[in-house]
Amino acid sequence: MTQVHVTTTVNGDEVEFLADPRETLLDCLRDKVGMTGAKEGCGTGDCGACSVTLDGRLVCSCLVLGVEAEGKDIGTIEGMADGDDLHPLQAKFIEYAALQCGICTPGILVATEALLKKSPDPSEEEVRYWLAGNLCRCTGYDKIIRAVLDTARDLREGV
Amino acid sequence: MKYHTPATFEDAVGIAANATGVTRFLAGGTDVLVQLRADIVTPDDLIDVKHIPGVRDMTQNPDGSWTIGVAVAGAEMTENPALIADWPGVVEGMDLIGSTQVQGRATLTGNLCNGSPAGDAVPGMIAAGASVSVTGPDGSREVAVEDIPTGPGRTSLAKGEMVTAVHLPARGQNGGDAYLRFIPRTEMDIAVVGCAVNLRVDGDTITEARVALGAVAPTARLVEDAATALIGSKLDDAALEALAAAASAACNPIDDKRGTIEFRTHVAGVLAQRAAKIAYARARGEK
Ligand SMILES: Cc1cc2nc3c(=O)[nH]c(=O)nc-3n(C[C@H](O)[C@H](O)[C@H](O)COP(=O)(O)OP(=O)(O)OC[C@H]3O[C@@H](n4cnc5c(N)ncnc54)[C@H](O)[C@@H]3O)c2cc1C
Ligand code: FES
Ligand code: FES
């Protein structure tokens, strides 16, 4: 199978890789770019563990082809912390123990960061619907929801 | 699999018309990639429509009608207040598809052309009286949305033909539409029954109506008897009963663990009544 040369931007840095057109963006990120933060839970768009942003829009990277990333701007969990300084959502997830095994966590963090950019003061219902496509088998969701609402409050109040 | 990124519809049609193997168009990919990864359909030629200029545009035309590009994602529709004001039912059907992540990619055109009888965006488009522009090697035509699906996974598009835009009519005065579906969960599930109602009122009286059902027959379908039950009425109990009876009578559903024939047939009537009440309230400006 002929490989296609793809040039794209990941977390602000230019990245190049060769992709078989059938390969997903998730596989390309993990196996070619070496960014293993996005996880594969299902590979069919159901679990959200592979969530990334594509030109600012939240998507499942398992449902995007690597070749579609040409010229795009991709955001992954690796771009969330500022060096050693965790993003407020990351810090709050640890404080609330909003993760156990952690498989769902990168996807949920990327998804909730996108939510708070769009909607800085979300209701609990809004957070729950926004995360309907992010499955977690460990936490029972409640800690995640509270961590997100609390982070949103902190960010609004400039804490 | 060859991946193509044509810059014009003519080129896209040319590739599709000359292809000898399995061909798919790639809009949001939320059906194409699932089928590819499950080894259900591995296209020999995959034609990405997203590099064609204008496919991401949603345009309100001078006559009030809307033209929606074939790569406009659901999330973009739900961020368009003017479109929601005109066609809330069409937008809510699209918005029910999948999760936030799926919304970031899924399109009206993909939902239609995938040909699922349960596609949530399809009944709303049919009730609205939407049409699509179809272009192929022999030229272009306008096709009513209800004439696109012909059976589960099948459409009336000929080899080499593709949809180039979706058209929603001008909303006009005193109109309203609504879409409801039944699923066993609250999110992320396939419709057991879907129903869209679009109507216009003059005072309290319904003067025009279109009713469409999804997931209860091999294709989404327009139910003319259900519309007849509404037209001329003030949505009184007798009209609602006639509406439910007509909707149920139009059902020819599958029987599975998610919904028996009897259940789907009954729920079609119930959803038609509820959707009609919402559309009626919207038409009367009671949002
Ligand atoms: C997790 C998940 C949940 C989902 N939930 C729902 C749901 O609740 N309700 C629902 O209805 N669907 C659901 N879907 C299915 C899917 O998201 C929708 O059908 C979506 O609208 C498809 O649009 P797309 O742009 O992604 O299509 P694509 O996958 O890009 O294409 C779908 C089909 O349309 C054809 N096509 C695309 N563009 C054109 C064109 N311009 N001309 C001709 N043919 C074309 C393709 O060849 C292909 O056969 C879900 C999918 C996932 C992964
Ligand atoms: S791995 Fe992409 S949604 Fe599950
Ligand atoms: S922490 Fe284990 S799946 Fe969410």
Side-chain angles (χ1 to χ4, degrees), chain A residues 1 21-22 24 27 40 42-46 48 51 54 57-60 62-65 67-68 72 107 111 118 129-135, chain B residues 1-3 26-30 33-34 36-38 42 46 48 50-51 56 73 75-76 78-79 99-105 185-188:
Chain A
M1 192 62 66
R22 290 169 303 187
T24 64
D27 287 341
E40 176 163 294
C42 64
T44 52
D46 293 289
S51 298
L54 183 68
R57 190 66 80 179
L58 186 68
V59 301
C60 295
C62 73
L63 293 186
V64 178
L65 293 173
V67 289
E68 286 184 82
K72 300 281 179 196
K118 185 179 151 107
Y129 269 107
W130 184 269
L131 292 178
N134 289 87
L135 303 186
Chain B
M1 185 177 94
K2 273 188 81 179
Y3 172 71
L26 181 66
T30 60
L33 264 86
V34 171
L36 172 73
R37 304 208 8 132
T42 307
L46 183 64
D48 191 337
K50 295 189 292 296
H51 294 257
R56 301 288 293 269
E76 292 164 330
T78 51
E79 288 168 5
S99 57
T100 313
Q101 287 86 341
V102 171
Q103 282 292 312
R105 296 264 291 166
R185 310 176 60 202
T186 51
E187 266 285 272
M188 296 287 282

Side-chain angles (χ1 to χ4, degrees), chain A residues 25-93:
Chain A
L25 175 60
L26 175 62
D27 287 341
C28 293
L29 284 172
R30 292 180 58 86
D31 301 341
K32 308 194 170 196
V33 184
M35 290 191 171
T36 54
K39 308 294 180 208
E40 176 163 294
C42 64
T44 52
D46 293 289
C47 77
C50 64
S51 298
V52 301
T53 57
L54 183 68
D55 285 348
R57 190 66 80 179
L58 186 68
V59 301
C60 295
S61 61
C62 73
L63 293 186
V64 178
L65 293 173
V67 289
E68 286 184 82
E70 174 68 38
K72 300 281 179 196
D73 202 349
I74 293 160
T76 73
I77 185 66
E78 283 87 350
M80 200 166 176
D82 183 7
D84 286 341
D85 293 332
L86 294 181
H87 184 279
L89 274 166
Q90 292 174 306
K92 199 67 83 179
F93 268 53

